[in-house]
Amino acid sequence: MRAHEKGLELNCHVAPDVPTALVGDPVRLGAVITNLLGNAIKFTGKGEVVLHVENDPEANAPGALRFRVCDTGIGIPPDKLDAIFENFVQ
């Protein structure tokens, strides 16, 4: 709803080789994805927000997925990136 209200296009691209059924915690995963998309929508004034889902090419075990959110927002200055982002693994 928030993306629509702002006139943003919200897309989801799931790679064709991503399994349709996996064992995991859908509540926590949903909360993380909702938070990431919500932040992207909040800081994007025009354009689009896209969720990409793919198998993690760096994973040692099958079933590990990589989620990526891209947007056309203002971005973060390069000198601030190290202070904000750290890898999240669960």
Side-chain angles (χ1 to χ4, degrees):
M1 292 274 295
R2 288 180 37 213
H4 178 72
E5 290 169 356
K6 291 181 76 172
L8 299 175
E9 187 170 338
L10 179 59
N11 291 305
C12 180
H13 294 265
V14 180
D17 60 341
V18 169
T20 57
L22 292 169
V23 175
D25 188 337
V27 174
R28 284 190 182 158
L29 179 59
V32 170
I33 291 173
T34 299
N35 187 314
L36 292 172
L37 290 172
N39 285 338
I41 291 168
K42 181 177 10 177
F43 294 107
T44 300
K46 61 181 180 177
E48 68 178 3
V49 174
V50 183
L51 172 65
H52 298 271
V53 184
E54 61 189 6
N55 287 304
D56 186 347
E58 298 175 10
N60 295 326
L65 301 178
R66 178 175 291 179
F67 297 86
R68 188 168 38 102
V69 176
C70 300
D71 62 64
T72 56
I74 60 172
I76 300 168
D79 62 325
K80 303 291 185 197
L81 290 176
D82 289 339
I84 296 173
F85 293 109
E86 293 181 14
N87 287 336
F88 175 78
V89 176
Q90 182 169 0

